[in-house]
Amino acid sequence: MNLLKNKRKNLTKKNQRIKIDFSNCDRCGTCVSVCGADVITLAAQLHIDNKKCVLCQKCVTVCPFGALAAVEEEFI
Amino acid sequence: MKNYEIVIIGAGPAGSMAAQAAAAAGKKTALIERNEKPSMPVRCGEGIGRKGLATTLEPQKQWIKSGITRARMISPSGIKVEIGNVDQSWILDRQTMDFDLVKQAVKAGADFFPSTTIVSAQKKTNGLYHCIGQDKEFTANCLILADGVESRIARCFGWDTALKLSDIETCAFARVTSPLIDQECCSFYTGGQVAPGGYAWIFPRGGAQANVGLGVIGSKCKAGLPKELLTRFIELRFPNSEVSHLHCGGVPVGRWIRPLVKEGVMLAGDAARQVNAINGAGIAYSLYAGKLAGETAAKALNKGTINHKILLKYQKQWAKNFGKQQDRSFALKEFIMNVGDGFLDRIANSLARENPEKISYLRVFTRTFATKPTLLLKAFKLFK
Ligand SMILES: Cc1cc2nc3c(=O)[nH]c(=O)nc-3n(C[C@H](O)[C@H](O)[C@H](O)COP(=O)(O)OP(=O)(O)OC[C@H]3O[C@@H](n4cnc5c(N)ncnc54)[C@H](O)[C@@H]3O)c2cc1C
Ligand code: SF4
Ligand code: SF4
């Protein structure tokens, strides 16, 4: 049971990504300022390079409007 | 490819002042800004002391929305300290000021590139700096990075600018119109219920309106908390008011970055974390640092070669005039982050019994020091 749980956990982490709720993002750059992996960029829109993201979730924590969340990647 | 002697990234107060100074000294200068115009939207409480502004600029009437004569600090348990003896302070119209500063830079001869985002930058083997934008490229002998709180471009040159959670205030703010606003007084609210590890501000800007906002320290923040707290704060203090210009932003409250100069690259303003860590004020510092960086770059650059000794004077002069003072504010911030609401209440309680006319910001600080002498020692060490 425990083993199963652990497996599930790893799987979850692996398939997580940071999702941007564009209707809530104010383009303030606060998330960019804390991202140690330097994978968030702000131009006309906010962009996260999820391939290089280490899922530390600092960006999620600091977003004043709560526009970021770690979500499960959807499989087709 | 566009070739310049000095390229400045970011047209906030720091970048515009740098561009104006560099262009006025006869250097071929470019000022690059991501947005169509700077300060769109304004992300600022817009409060500034007259002295701070006048250090660098001749204050213009059209930049000033209102004058402040008093301040009020409200402790976590609601004890009010009236400060009757404030230095002359203003609430600015940052949109007008920031536009004017870009115009002045252009008038001095700088080329302005709006709606242009720099994605990365690097030094080429020919010694020139290459800035890559989404649809434009620039070369420069000298780069001034004034890209605000994000400070991303500095990472291309090996600076680690990613902020610790304890070094960022995450803020939400709005413009509130209500007859309940005291138009002569700035108010500051502290306490874990109002703004954990930060404070809420009410800065009146005339016409029954005020900038109302709050900051939460990153280490005590959670997704969306600043917005939630602000909504509650406004509903509680200004029920049925008109709320507009609801935006968010981050204020760096770490130590200013050392070194400020690497080869031909300089950092200025929020990008260099040149902010007072105690109150989050950064306008006066970014104006000063931007101008100083621009002037110094122009002096150091001669026919395409940089005199590094001259360029390094930027950091020395910054440290002497404001840097040491900011180090003390940082030490004080670190201390305050670790005291509970009870400590702030104790100070407020002892000050609340005094005559407001005799209370100044300085007094608040000296009282803080008196309550906790070890702190004074810490601050003194930084004088060296
Ligand atoms: C909520 C809030 C309230 C504040 N209240 C006060 C206050 O009351 N008093 C005070 O003194 N200070 C206050 N500050 C701080 C003050 O606003 C800043 O210190 C000041 O704006 C810093 O100026 P700057 O020029 O360094 O950066 P900014 O004004 O942030 O300008 C940086 C510019 O660079 C541009 N940029 C960024 N990246 C790129 C890129 N890659 N390419 C091109 N352009 C780019 C941005 O679009 C921006 O226009 C507040 C800050 C916040 C967030
Ligand atoms: S911190 Fe939030 S609102 Fe600001 S740019 Fe990032 S996602 Fe958008
Ligand atoms: S989770 Fe961490 S690494 Fe990924 S984008 Fe957010 S701050 Fe950057």
Side-chain angles (χ1 to χ4, degrees), chain B residues 3-4 6 53 69 99 111 116 118 131-132 134 156 189 206 220 277 305 307 344 373:
Chain B
N3 305 311
Y4 287 91
I6 302 176
L53 184 60
T69 53
F99 284 10
D111 288 343
T116 306
I118 296 301
C131 302
I132 302 145
Q134 285 187 310
C156 303
Y189 292 74
K220 292 184 179 165
T305 358
N307 181 327
L344 299 173

Side-chain angles (χ1 to χ4, degrees), chain B residues 115-130:
Chain B
S115 309
T116 306
T117 303
I118 296 301
V119 183
S120 69
Q122 63 187 120
K123 192 176 182 179
K124 291 282 184 188
T125 43
N126 61 5
L128 292 182
Y129 292 99
H130 199 150

Side-chain angles (χ1 to χ4, degrees), chain B residues 11 23-24 29 52 75 87 93 98 113 131 166 182 189 200 208 238 242 266 273 283 318 320 322 340 354 370:
Chain B
T29 305
S75 81
D87 294 338
D93 179 341
D98 287 16
F113 295 90
C131 302
S166 54
D182 179 345
Y189 292 74
F238 306 111
E242 190 191 312
M266 311 163 94
R273 308 343 189 171
I283 309 170
W318 160 261
K320 189 170 137 228
F322 288 114
E354 295 185 18

Side-chain angles (χ1 to χ4, degrees), chain B residues 8 14 37 68 83 128 130 185 199 248 263-264 268 297 311 329 377:
Chain B
I8 295 128
K37 281 177 173 173
I68 299 302
I83 303 175
L128 292 182
H130 199 150
C185 180
Y199 65 89
C248 61
E263 298 190 6
L311 211 60
S329 294
L377 248 157

Side-chain angles (χ1 to χ4, degrees), chain B residues 6-218:
Chain B
I6 302 176
V7 163
I8 295 128
I9 302 174
S16 295
M17 288 307 295
Q20 190 187 332
K27 300 296 165 191
K28 194 168 181 229
T29 305
L31 175 61
I32 304 170
E33 168 57 44
R34 175 170 57 209
N35 293 331
E36 194 189 326
K37 281 177 173 173
S39 257
M40 287 199 68
V42 171
R43 296 186 195 279
C44 189
E46 305 181 299
I48 196 166
R50 189 197 63 82
K51 256 197 246 159
L53 184 60
T55 306
T56 314
L57 277 173
E58 180 73 35
Q60 306 285 311
K61 250 199 194 138
Q62 72 270 22
W63 299 345
I64 297 160
K65 288 294 283 186
S66 67
I68 299 302
T69 53
R70 287 180 299 119
R72 183 177 298 140
M73 292 194 176
I74 296 94
S75 81
S77 69
I79 304 163
K80 283 186 189 148
V81 179
E82 301 284 341
I83 303 175
N85 192 4
V86 295
D87 294 338
Q88 193 182 358
S89 300
W90 291 317
I91 306 305
L92 294 171
D93 179 341
R94 276 271 320 257
Q95 188 153 356
T96 305
M97 187 178 93
D98 287 16
F99 284 10
D100 280 357
L101 293 180
V102 171
K103 279 189 226 151
Q104 286 177 13
V106 171
K107 203 170 159 200
D111 288 343
F112 179 52
F113 295 90
S115 309
T116 306
T117 303
I118 296 301
V119 183
S120 69
Q122 63 187 120
K123 192 176 182 179
K124 291 282 184 188
T125 43
N126 61 5
L128 292 182
Y129 292 99
H130 199 150
C131 302
I132 302 145
Q134 285 187 310
D135 53 4
K136 287 187 194 82
E137 294 190 9
F138 302 81
T139 66
N141 300 96
C142 182
L143 268 186
I144 300 176
L145 308 179
D147 51 340
V149 67
E150 289 160 57
S151 197
R152 253 207 83 233
I153 307 303
R155 299 176 192 179
C156 303
F157 300 101
W159 270 289
D160 177 12
T161 58
L163 293 167
K164 289 192 288 186
L165 290 181
S166 54
D167 285 341
I168 177 106
E169 287 285 339
T170 130
C171 308
F173 53 95
R175 292 203 174 128
V176 174
T177 309
S178 161
L180 298 172
I181 293 165
D182 179 345
Q183 282 296 332
E184 275 156 26
C185 180
C186 277
S187 306
F188 303 86
Y189 292 74
T190 54
Q193 299 292 322
V194 177
Y199 65 89
W201 65 85
I202 302 171
F203 292 175
R205 64 196 313 268
Q209 202 178 52
N211 291 330
V212 180
L214 57 83
V216 175
I217 196 76

Side-chain angles (χ1 to χ4, degrees), chain A residues 26 32-33 35 38 58 62-63, chain B residues 43 152 163 170 224 247-248:
Chain A
D26 193 39
V32 180
S33 76
C35 178
D38 193 27
K58 272 170 87 181
V62 298
C63 174
Chain B
R43 296 186 195 279
R152 253 207 83 233
L163 293 167
T170 130
H247 288 289
C248 61

